[in-house]
Amino acid sequence: MIKKLIKRVFGAAPQIRTEGNCHIIPFEEHGVGRNGISSAARRVTDGLQAAGYSAFVVGGAVRDLLLGRHPKDFDVATDATPEEVRRVFRRSRIIGRRFRLVHVIFGEETVETSTFRRMVDAEDAQTDEHGRLLRDNEFGDQEQDAARRDFTANALFYDPATQEIFDYHDGYADIRAKILRMIGDPATRYREDPVRMLRAVRLSAKLGLKLDAATAAPIASMKNLLDNVPQARLLDEMLKMLLSGHAVECIKKLRAMNLHHGLLPMLDVILEQPQGEHFVLLALKNTDQRVREDKPVSPAFLFAALLWHEVIAAWKARQEAGVRPVPALHEAMDEVLDRQREQLAIPHRHDAVMKEIWLMQPRFEQRGGQRPLRMLTLQRFRAAYDFLVLRCESGEADGELAAWWEEFQDASEARRAEMLLPDSSPKKPRRRRRKKPAADAAQPVQAELPIA
Ligand code: ATP
Ligand code: MG
């Protein structure tokens, strides 16, 4: 439309031109206007350019704008060194030791500003014994900075001043054709950084791009390289997937490419049990929906959901071995968390919330006496209740239970009193007139689960 309009008013539209190895794509071709860029990112590029440097919006933001999506954040790449960037912006700080970046702050927004970098030459590159790059923080020029990026779609530079896109790897054409393609030789690039395999899955699922055949091909035989990646990075990438708003597609793709092994709670095992699979997929669907509606999502809730069927299995096994339900649940939780930590280090800080959510599940069954009222006062009640709803939806728990709690939490005092079931908890011994114990005192004792 815009192109046609401009053609009518001004005659022929400016064409894509080529300078060296770079295609320069004018606004009239790509249609991304500077007002698509956040004001903070524009102030960064304007400020750097006014100081005589070159500066571009780069990476995911340009890609997202071309795909008609709202970018999560705007990163800037420049030929100014971190110290030079620092000098241009009063409110900025240098961060990172390995890759030194500058955070430039405007009000609420922080713009990550990085100096052009190059891939280190094979002979000076520090790699581990599997070819994984340990260092790639040499400064470089714009072209080198494009080449060190992962996918062609992620290697576009946008200049808000001229509204031109600088493209060294045909990323623009790939985006238009909805293809995600690795820059350079895919096998080499996965060896340098195996996380790129996961990024391929996540970005293709999230952006609706087809993974180019040559980009996808080496993954099957290279997936074991993920074993050498530091746990913190794997977890980071896993969380990005789970919180991308497209977790269901990501997990399905991971599974289709056989990449899920060893990453999450034996996702392979869980997904093979019909009820476990149904539950995990429901939890992910629910998370996707929340992310898309901009509602908060807690990683602890998600991990609790992913591991729940593992906990159930371990809990059952303990009880069958004669351990009483409450201690059996505690032991099962610890066992599952320990086992999981060998594969993917879920930070300890999530443990408490995960355990609270799990421990509250059997307590939902107890609907007599004061216990339900006490449940409502617990800080994690809402999360635990949401978890119960998922359990009911997946068929693991009776739907009537979630319906009861849904009504109970908002009911009047009078209605709550009606709803409470007869108390079956152990009673304090009453003064008895008869010598023989009363029949009701012989009822089975139902252990109350401790508040986590
Ligand atoms: P998202 O929308 O999830 O933020 P993104 O592509 O912006 O996606 P980031 O992790 O924010 O991902 O990375 C910013 C840019 O840095 C990417 O667009 C890409 O150009 C480059 N990049 C990130 N990770 C890698 C990697 N492992 N190898 C090479 N380049 C990478
Ligand atoms: Mg990004």
Side-chain angles (χ1 to χ4, degrees):
M1 253 249 319
I2 296 172
K3 261 198 275 180
K4 272 193 196 147
L5 187 73
I6 290 180
K7 220 172 192 169
R8 221 172 333 124
V9 180
F10 299 106
Q15 296 294 307
I16 296 180
R17 60 183 205 282
T18 304
E19 284 177 16
N21 294 322
C22 185
H23 297 308
I24 301 170
I25 302 151
F27 165 77
E28 292 73 8
E29 164 62 34
H30 61 69
V32 173
R34 81 183 94 235
N35 37 13
I37 308 295
S38 73
S39 72
R42 261 186 295 165
R43 284 162 80 175
V44 174
T45 54
D46 286 350
L48 287 169
Q49 290 175 359
Y53 302 106
S54 65
F56 303 87
V57 172
V58 70
V62 186
R63 174 201 72 205
D64 290 352
L65 286 168
L66 284 172
L67 288 167
R69 292 167 166 266
H70 195 68
K72 210 168 56 194
D73 41 37
F74 292 84
D75 298 332
V76 166
T78 175
D79 60 357
T81 63
E83 288 72 19
E84 288 168 337
V85 176
R86 234 346 243 113
R87 256 176 258 138
V88 176
F89 302 102
R90 210 165 38 86
R91 294 204 58 208
S92 63
R93 58 166 187 265
I94 297 181
I95 57 144
R97 261 189 307 158
R98 209 156 75 93
F99 307 131
R100 292 169 68 241
L101 308 167
V102 187
H103 276 175
V104 184
I105 301 142
F106 286 106
E108 301 261 281
E109 207 184 325
T110 298
V111 181
E112 206 167 276
T113 306
S114 55
T115 305
F116 293 143
R117 293 205 299 262
R118 69 183 172 90
M119 229 172 333
V120 266
D121 301 334
E123 58 267 25
D124 348 320
Q126 291 178 11
T127 57
D128 69 6
E129 72 270 29
H130 307 281
R132 190 168 67 85
L133 274 183
L134 299 173
R135 193 177 66 111
D136 74 338
N137 58 351
E138 301 283 323
F139 293 147
D141 61 20
Q142 186 186 29
E143 182 169 353
Q144 291 167 327
D145 192 74
R148 66 143 185 114
R149 293 176 184 273
D150 45 8
F151 302 101
T152 63
N154 280 349
L156 299 171
F157 299 84
Y158 179 80
D159 182 348
T162 63
Q163 304 190 106
E164 288 171 323
I165 287 176
F166 293 71
D167 178 6
Y168 292 87
H169 297 281
D170 291 329
Y172 180 71
D174 282 344
I175 288 184
R176 287 287 178 248
K178 302 240 169 216
I179 290 175
L180 192 66
R181 187 194 314 273
M182 182 64 77
I183 295 172
D185 169 49
T188 312
R189 304 301 310 278
Y190 293 136
R191 212 167 294 121
E192 286 167 5
D193 181 5
V195 170
R196 289 174 184 149
M197 294 189 260
L198 300 178
R199 287 178 57 84
V201 172
R202 172 169 65 87
L203 292 174
S204 66
K206 173 173 144 179
L207 304 168
L209 301 180
K210 191 173 172 326
L211 209 49
D212 161 62
T215 301
I219 295 181
S221 63
M222 298 187 80
K223 57 176 196 266
N224 292 344
L225 292 178
L226 283 167
D227 296 345
N228 310 312
V229 174
Q231 291 251 333
R233 259 202 93 197
L234 275 186
L235 183 77
D236 211 45
E237 188 52 40
M238 204 65 218
L239 271 177
K240 280 192 184 177
M241 277 193 184
L242 295 175
L243 303 176
S244 66
H246 299 267
V248 171
E249 283 138 271
C250 283
I251 296 296
K252 284 187 173 161
K253 277 201 170 175
L254 275 184
R255 195 181 179 194
M257 299 177 92
N258 222 354
L259 270 177
H260 55 300
H261 287 277
L263 277 183
L264 261 192
M266 294 146 232
L267 215 47
D268 41 348
V269 180
I270 293 176
L271 293 176
E272 253 109 70
Q273 313 162 1
Q275 214 171 46
E277 166 168 15
H278 194 186
F279 182 76
V280 167
L281 288 180
L282 268 177
L284 294 177
K285 218 157 103 186
N286 187 272
T287 308
D288 285 349
Q289 182 126 13
R290 289 183 69 94
V291 171
R292 291 179 200 192
E293 288 168 4
D294 256 345
K295 290 189 186 155
V297 180
S298 126
F301 183 91
L302 203 56
F303 286 131
L306 291 172
L307 294 171
W308 175 238
H309 277 258
E310 293 287 299
V311 172
I312 295 180
W315 187 19
K316 208 167 142 220
R318 304 263 159 161
Q319 289 185 82
E320 278 166 8
V323 185
R324 287 160 55 85
V326 181
L329 179 53
H330 280 272
E331 286 175 24
M333 295 189 306
D334 287 337
E335 178 193 321
V336 169
L337 288 175
D338 285 347
R339 194 163 55 201
Q340 179 54 34
R341 246 184 279 284
E342 286 165 21
Q343 300 186 313
L344 189 76
I346 295 177
H348 279 292
R349 66 173 183 280
H350 296 312
D351 286 8
V353 178
M354 288 162 70
K355 287 184 174 181
E356 273 177 80
I357 291 173
W358 289 335
L359 281 168
M360 281 164 81
Q361 299 311 309
R363 295 178 63 184
F364 282 118
E365 311 277 345
Q366 303 172 350
R367 289 183 274 171
Q370 294 300 303
R371 289 169 179 178
L373 294 167
R374 252 181 274 144
M375 282 282 275
L376 295 182
T377 66
L378 298 181
Q379 200 198 346
R380 302 284 169 216
F381 171 78
R382 190 68 215 181
Y385 165 74
D386 287 346
F387 199 89
L388 171 70
V389 171
L390 281 178
R391 290 176 53 221
C392 293
E393 278 176 25
S394 77
E396 180 224 320
D398 190 341
E400 183 268 333
L401 193 58
W404 190 93
W405 280 97
E406 188 185 357
E407 184 181 354
F408 187 75
Q409 52 186 301
D410 296 322
S412 66
E413 223 168 288
R415 176 68 189 134
R416 280 182 183 169
E418 271 170 30
M419 288 178 77
L420 287 171
L421 304 182
D423 190 4
S424 57
S425 59
K427 306 232 167 48
K428 280 190 192 147
R430 269 188 251 125
R431 270 177 54 211
R432 296 179 194 109
R433 263 183 248 136
R434 280 184 294 160
K435 285 198 177 136
K436 279 187 187 168
D440 68 0
Q443 273 186 357
V445 172
Q446 215 178 348
E448 179 162 13
L449 291 159
I451 296 172

